[in-house]
Amino acid sequence: MQVTRLPRRPAPEARADRPRWRLATLIEIGLTGGIGSGKSTVAAMLADRGAVVLDSDSLVRELQVPGTAVFEAIVAQWGERVVADDGTLNRGELASIVFDDPAELELLNAIVHPAHAIEMERRRSVYEGTDTVLVFDIPLLVEVGRGGFDGVVVVDLDPETAIQRLAADRGLDEADARRRMANQASRAERLDRADFVLDNGGTKADLAAEVDRCWEWIGSLGEG
Ligand code: ADP
């Protein structure tokens, strides 16, 4: 008996004319690190590689410009002493009020956090359903227990090196840097929360190589 073999058809995925449908993948990354760890430097390097960075601290500053509801509520709470000569918020004064006083800090957080959460969510939602890597740059991510990310990236640096860099580059007083660090999560607490650790103990070129490695890892999160 003669067997007629049908010509083999190429596998569907190999057919060039076949449209390839797949859902867009929004990847949400939390980025954090202690003061002076190099978090802002990493955020800029990730932006260079195509990420959209949402910066938590600069959003707080935007929410506190004169005329906003947050600014008015802060002035209503602490009076003219938190207003600088040019009419903007006197950040140093506000920081000194809340720094060592949990009750005052709670009052400030009650004013800022709801507005911050709403605006952050509004900015996030713009990218819903798109192929975007969104990086949430949040210095106090571990401290506030923020979750809901596809991955948490921690920039790791030993605190003494961080203090040296802050003093050399930003002219930050060493005692001031130590005080701020004491108010933040410890290095170990941060590492405990990390899905990916970026070591910033080397040069900036070394850091760029670490960021390349991280960018690849972030890409792999969207393949699942
Ligand atoms: P953070 O945002 O975590 O406070 P920054 O990114 O501002 O930290 O970095 C703190 C300082 O250290 C900056 O002046 C930055 O240019 C510098 N810096 C960051 N990474 C390195 C590095 N690998 N080598 C030398 N200096 C660095």
Side-chain angles (χ1 to χ4, degrees), residues 113-125:
H113 280 181
H116 186 271
I118 288 168
E119 182 55 19
M120 203 56 140
E121 174 52 25
R122 195 193 63 73
R123 292 184 186 190
R124 190 200 71 83
S125 66

Side-chain angles (χ1 to χ4, degrees), residues 3 15 20 33 35 47 54 56 64 94 126 128 152 157 163 171:
V3 178
R15 286 168 52 192
R20 297 223 203 135
I35 179 172
L54 297 182
S56 175
Q64 293 178 341
L94 187 58
V126 169
E128 198 86 67
V152 171
L157 180 62
I163 287 170

Side-chain angles (χ1 to χ4, degrees), residues 20-33:
R20 297 223 203 135
W21 298 108
R22 82 175 174 77
L23 292 175
T25 313
L26 173 62
I27 303 175
E28 298 180 51
I29 299 294
L31 171 67
T32 194

Side-chain angles (χ1 to χ4, degrees), residues 10 38 43 55 62 110 126 134 139 211:
D55 181 329
E62 277 179 54
V126 169
L134 258 189
V211 171

